[in-house]
Amino acid sequence: MSKGDNNEDLTIGERVRLARQRRGLSRRAVAELAGRTEEWLRQIETGERPVQRIDTLQLLARVLKVRDISELTGSLFVMTKDGSRPQHGRLAAVRRALRPHLSDTTTPSPDLAALRRSIQHADTAWLVSRQQITALGLVLPELLSAAIAAQQSATGQQRREALRLLVEVYRLTDNYLRHAGDRQLAAQVCDRMLLAAQEADDPELISLSAYKVAAAAQNNDEPEEALTLAMDAVKLFRPWLTSGDHEALALWGSLHLCASTSAARLRRGAEADRLWSIADEAAKALGPNYHHPATIFGQLNCGIHAVDIALETGPFPPRAGDRAFLRCGGAVGQPECVHCAQCEPPRPPLHRPGPRLLPSPRPRRRGGCAPDCRAAVH
């Protein structure tokens, strides 16, 4: 690119457009090479669709013959030392902030109110910013350092509050690390989050942290571990489940939904169905417009995972209710086909998403599924 093209004010979309034009390619040509639609590329170039995933950047760089991905991102991403995979520009700073800190006994009492406000600002940036990874990455190192220092210097009741705030900062850190592509460090942060929640002796934060640890295990292809963690948390949280507490009920549902998807990945269809039903009951009790701010639990989330579970395990035993449409042929009002007998079990994908994401439907046999099966999943 020319010097003018490297202007830091350019967005990723503008850089993609310049790289495409430099190669003399139309939007349609680039979209077809990328296996996407022309509208998808148009939205990226105009900024309507923010590019926040590393694999999307790598795909565009490969299609546009861009050797250094920073030509598309500016300072947003930098190359690793071996040049094999880009990383977010703030990832190194976040890693440094997570290193062990020596306690400083001379540190004055922390201003927990100011720390709470900073966490709220970071939360808002994560939820509303169009460049949410960058927005969070800019404030996270300082926020981590402040929260860790507050937890180390606080005493008495103030220490318990500092631990609660540290849990919230770890939650934001997990969000950042998962999207920045460092799953192993994200799992370690979730472990720290659970330890802080247990020391704070806060049942709801313990449950949220346990959900995060289970989700991290699922992200790292450990469904058995995720299932065990989620169900252990369910047993611990049950005594604190009180009627009318939406937060508690949403966490209860989140844990069951995580356990359900883990059981599905282990091909335990009946168990997955039972756990999903409990989660679905909780979602219905919360109402159609509710979603938990940290776990995204709600009726829509349950519906998405119903499809995911069906794709993993095949049809469940016929029963009345919300999932009846998932039976083969049920979507088009035809008799059920012999789904399990005719169709090959789904092959595991190369990359499994986290428990809140829906994978692309996969063919169930190389020769193509029976027509009724295709209708049920498409």
Side-chain angles (χ1 to χ4, degrees):
M1 281 188 176
S2 67
K3 187 174 180 179
D5 293 341
N6 284 321
N7 191 319
E8 290 296 326
D9 292 334
L10 293 178
T11 66
I12 291 179
E14 289 169 335
R15 291 171 182 273
V16 169
R17 175 175 55 79
L18 286 170
R20 175 179 61 79
Q21 291 174 342
R22 189 177 73 251
R23 291 203 62 219
L25 294 172
S26 65
R27 278 182 181 163
R28 180 176 181 180
V30 172
E32 289 180 353
L33 287 169
R36 303 299 181 91
T37 65
E38 188 175 350
E39 176 63 14
W40 173 83
L41 183 59
R42 185 197 67 78
Q43 290 178 354
I44 284 179
E45 291 186 353
T46 59
E48 296 175 40
R49 179 190 290 268
V51 180
Q52 298 175 334
R53 294 182 61 88
I54 290 176
D55 54 358
T56 302
L57 288 168
Q58 289 178 311
L59 172 64
L60 288 168
R62 187 165 59 249
V63 168
L64 295 170
K65 306 297 184 185
V66 173
R67 292 184 178 182
D68 186 349
I69 204 169
S70 64
E71 291 185 16
L72 299 182
T73 63
S75 60
L76 177 60
F77 284 85
V78 297
M79 298 300 293
T80 54
K81 289 182 180 180
D82 62 3
S84 61
R85 182 177 175 84
Q87 67 179 32
H88 193 265
R90 297 293 292 172
L91 185 55
V94 172
R95 287 171 175 162
R96 285 194 297 271
L98 285 167
R99 290 172 184 166
H101 291 64
L102 294 176
S103 300
D104 185 357
T105 56
T106 64
T107 302
S109 297
D111 186 348
L112 298 184
L115 179 57
R116 190 180 301 107
R117 287 194 297 271
S118 297
I119 293 172
Q120 290 171 349
H121 291 323
D123 233 337
T124 301
W126 175 255
L127 292 173
V128 305
S129 175
R130 298 190 68 178
Q131 297 287 342
Q132 58 179 176
I133 305 176
T134 300
L136 188 55
L138 288 171
V139 300
L140 201 51
E142 184 178 348
L143 197 57
L144 272 166
S145 298
I148 293 171
Q151 174 262 327
Q152 290 176 341
S153 61
T155 58
Q157 185 60 31
Q158 209 180 30
R159 175 173 172 78
R160 190 179 183 193
E161 178 62 17
L163 285 164
R164 290 194 185 101
L165 295 177
L166 181 59
V167 169
E168 292 299 324
V169 174
Y170 280 151
R171 173 181 60 80
L172 289 169
T173 305
D174 170 59
N175 290 347
Y176 171 83
L177 290 171
R178 283 187 294 105
H179 284 76
D182 195 334
R183 294 188 190 179
Q184 293 300 324
L185 187 55
Q188 295 174 27
V189 167
C190 290
D191 289 339
R192 292 192 194 183
M193 181 179 174
L194 180 56
L195 289 173
Q198 289 176 318
E199 189 174 349
D201 195 25
D202 187 311
E204 289 189 358
L205 286 183
I206 291 172
S207 298
L208 173 59
S209 302
Y211 167 84
K212 285 284 194 176
V213 173
Q218 204 176 59
N219 281 336
N220 289 320
D221 295 317
E222 299 172 348
E224 187 76 56
E225 179 75 5
L227 178 59
T228 300
L229 287 166
M231 294 314 299
D232 285 348
V234 163
K235 293 174 185 176
L236 288 173
F237 191 53
R238 189 186 299 272
W240 286 283
L241 189 65
T242 57
S243 59
D245 187 341
H246 281 194
E247 176 88 4
L249 186 58
L251 289 171
W252 174 262
S254 300
L255 288 166
H256 280 89
L257 190 57
C258 182
S260 175
T261 53
S262 299
R265 289 179 61 184
L266 293 166
R267 303 298 189 265
R268 301 176 189 173
E271 184 178 7
D273 192 28
R274 177 182 63 81
L275 293 168
W276 182 90
S277 297
I278 296 173
D280 186 51
E281 289 175 7
K284 287 180 176 176
L286 292 167
N289 298 319
Y290 178 89
H291 73 274
H292 190 272
T295 68
I296 320 299
F297 178 79
Q299 288 188 26
L300 177 60
N301 196 230
C302 277
I304 290 173
H305 283 297
V307 181
D308 190 7
I309 292 166
L311 290 171
E312 289 283 8
T313 63
F316 292 90
R319 68 183 183 88
D322 297 324
R323 303 191 64 199
F325 75 96
L326 293 171
R327 300 199 306 270
C328 292
V332 291
Q334 298 176 356
E336 295 179 21
C337 70
V338 192
H339 190 294
C340 292
Q342 290 186 3
C343 304
E344 179 183 308
R347 297 183 295 279
L350 295 177
H351 165 67
R352 288 296 307 171
R356 288 178 238 158
L357 302 179
L358 175 65
S360 300
R362 298 182 297 281
R364 291 181 177 270
R365 69 174 181 180
R366 292 178 179 81
C369 231
D372 291 341
C373 297
R374 290 197 299 271
V377 295
H378 296 294

